[in-house]
Amino acid sequence: MLERVKAALPALPPAEQRVAKLLLLDARAFASLPVSELADRSHVSKPTVVRFCRSVGYDGLADFKLKLAGSVNEGVPFVHRAVDEDDKPQDIIVKVVDNAVAALLHYRNDAASHAFERAIEALADSARHNRRIEFYGVGNSGIVAQDAQHKFFRLGVNTAANSDGHVQLMSATMLQPGDCAVIISNSGRSRDLLDAADIARKKGATIIIITASASPLAQLALGPSQILLAVDHPEDFDRYSPMVSRLLHLIAVDILTTGVALKLGQQLRPVLQEIKKNLRAKRYAG
C-alpha cells in the first residue's frame, strides 16, 4: 500500500498530499487514528481525508484503514530475496517461493475491491449481452492474456486474446460501446498497448487495465468507462526470476473470472455441465 501511495503522491492535489505524507510518516498510527485526528494533523478537512483514500484506489477511509492495518500488522516480508550464482537448489526453492508468497499477501491487502467490483460488473454485463471481451498483452503479459481468454471462453463468453500489436489495433478499432478491452502490462509502457487502449477508449468500449499504478498506461484509466486494477511489485530485471508480476496478473485474472462466474450464476451452470460431459466422453472414448 505504501508503495502505491508513494507512486501516486506527485499527482495528488496539495491537500491530499499532506494526508499522504502523514500516512508515510507513521502508517501504524494512521491506521488507528479517527478521521478528525487525521484531518487535524494533516491540516485538512475530514472530507479531504476520505477523498485521499479514494484517490489512491480504495472505497473510503474505512476500507483504506482496514487494508492498511492488515499490511502493517502482519509484518509480511515484502523483500525480494534475489537468487545468487552460488545458490543451491534448496536455496532457490526457498527464495523463489518466499518472494511469491510475500507478494501475493501484499497484493491481497492492496487490491482495491471497488475497482474489481466495477470490472466484474462490466465484464458480466458484456457477457450477458453477448458483447465482445478482448484481452491484450505482449511478451509475458501476452501469455496472461491467453490464459484469461481460455478461462472466459469456458464461461461461454465471446472473447479473444491478441498479442500482436497490429492485430490489437485492428481489434480495438472494431470495438463498440458495451464491449470490454482488458489490457495487461507489467511495465505499462508498451507503445502498442497504449495505442490500443486509446483507440478502444475512443470507440466507447470499457477499458480494464491491469498494470503498475504509476505507469503511462494507468494514466489512461481516469474516465468513467476506464478501470485500473493496479498491480505493483518491484522486480529486479537484472536477476534471474522476474516472474512474480506475472503471478499477480494471473491472480487478478482469476479474481475477475470467479466474480463473473458468480454474477452469471444459473445462466452459466448448463454450459459448464455440458462442457464437462463432452470432455469426459472424449477422455474415456476408445
Side-chain angles (χ1 to χ4, degrees), residues 118-131:
R118 291 179 58 209
I120 289 168
E121 186 56 51
L123 291 166
D125 191 61
S126 293
R128 290 189 196 100
H129 295 91
N130 199 33
R131 304 298 305 179

Side-chain angles (χ1 to χ4, degrees), residues 59-277:
D59 292 338
L61 181 60
D63 180 49
F64 183 86
K65 291 176 71 172
L66 179 64
K67 300 288 179 60
L68 179 63
S71 179
V72 298
N73 291 330
E74 279 185 357
V76 177
F78 191 40
V79 177
H80 179 40
R81 301 175 61 188
V83 296
D84 298 311
E85 292 182 2
D86 58 350
D87 278 343
K88 296 179 174 59
Q90 64 193 47
D91 300 318
I92 296 172
I93 292 170
V94 171
K95 289 183 177 182
V96 171
V97 172
D98 279 0
N99 188 41
V101 169
L104 290 170
L105 289 174
H106 254 266
Y107 186 64
R108 182 195 66 185
N109 292 333
D110 281 0
S113 59
H114 77 283
F116 271 101
E117 183 177 359
R118 291 179 58 209
I120 289 168
E121 186 56 51
L123 291 166
D125 191 61
S126 293
R128 290 189 196 100
H129 295 91
N130 199 33
R131 304 298 305 179
R132 293 171 56 202
I133 297 177
E134 301 282 320
F135 295 95
Y136 303 150
V138 296
N140 276 340
S141 298
I143 297 171
V144 178
Q146 292 176 10
D147 178 78
Q149 189 274 336
H150 175 72
K151 288 183 168 71
F152 274 76
F153 169 76
R154 292 190 63 178
L155 302 182
V157 174
N158 182 13
T159 183
N162 296 302
S163 58
D164 180 272
H166 292 85
V167 177
Q168 289 168 356
L169 293 183
M170 290 187 287
S171 168
T173 302
M174 292 186 286
L175 292 174
Q176 299 177 11
D179 296 334
C180 285
V182 182
I183 302 171
I184 306 163
S185 174
N186 181 35
S187 70
R189 299 179 183 278
S190 165
R191 185 71 260 169
D192 288 341
L193 294 177
L194 285 165
D195 290 343
D198 188 50
I199 292 172
R201 177 182 59 82
K202 291 176 180 177
K203 299 299 290 188
T206 297
I207 313 301
I208 300 168
I209 298 176
I210 303 175
T211 192
S213 58
S215 66
L217 191 57
Q219 301 306 308
L220 294 179
L222 299 176
S225 295
Q226 290 92 53
I227 303 166
L228 173 62
L229 302 179
V231 177
D232 295 304
H233 177 69
E235 285 187 313
D236 184 354
F237 289 91
D238 293 329
R239 304 302 289 181
Y240 302 106
S241 55
M243 295 296 175
V244 173
S245 59
R246 186 175 69 179
L247 293 178
L248 296 177
H249 290 167
L250 289 168
I251 286 290
V253 167
D254 282 351
I255 294 169
L256 293 175
T257 307
T258 303
V260 170
L262 291 173
K263 287 281 185 182
L264 296 181
Q266 295 295 327
Q267 169 187 340
L268 181 61
R269 189 168 289 112
V271 177
L272 293 179
Q273 289 176 340
E274 186 171 3
I275 289 174
K276 289 181 179 179
K277 175 184 175 182

